[in-house]
Amino acid sequence: MTRRRVLSLHNQIVKVINSHFSNIAIPHQIAALEQRTRELKALSIEILNLAKQAKEWLRI
């Protein structure tokens, strides 16, 4: 569900970028968006791992 939400937001942002920025700026904006998406994915994985770790700690 989170992945679907992120992809939906990604598509919405791309539409806004396409309608408000020049053709020159679009590739730079998309590259920045892709980088932020990668960072968000890495943070999501880190949060999941921390949650699993916390769950294990609570079992002890």
Side-chain angles (χ1 to χ4, degrees), residues 36-49:
R36 297 292 190 260
T37 302
R38 285 190 292 275
E39 292 170 4
L40 178 60
K41 182 179 178 182
L43 286 172
S44 297
I45 291 169
E46 188 175 342
I47 289 168
L48 287 172
N49 288 335

Side-chain angles (χ1 to χ4, degrees), residues 17 21 27 30 41 43 48 51 53-55 57:
I17 288 171
F21 291 96
I30 290 175
K41 182 179 178 182
L43 286 172
L48 287 172
Q53 193 176 38
K55 186 177 178 181
W57 288 343

Side-chain angles (χ1 to χ4, degrees), residues 6-60:
V6 169
L7 290 174
S8 176
L9 289 171
H10 179 275
N11 289 337
Q12 289 174 13
I13 291 169
V14 169
K15 286 178 186 177
V16 170
I17 288 171
N18 285 334
S19 65
H20 289 96
F21 291 96
S22 71
N23 288 336
I24 295 170
I26 290 172
H28 297 290
Q29 293 296 323
I30 290 175
L33 177 60
E34 289 172 343
Q35 178 60 32
R36 297 292 190 260
T37 302
R38 285 190 292 275
E39 292 170 4
L40 178 60
K41 182 179 178 182
L43 286 172
S44 297
I45 291 169
E46 188 175 342
I47 289 168
L48 287 172
N49 288 335
L50 288 171
K52 288 177 186 175
Q53 193 176 38
K55 186 177 178 181
E56 289 298 316
W57 288 343
L58 293 174
R59 287 185 190 177
I60 296 175

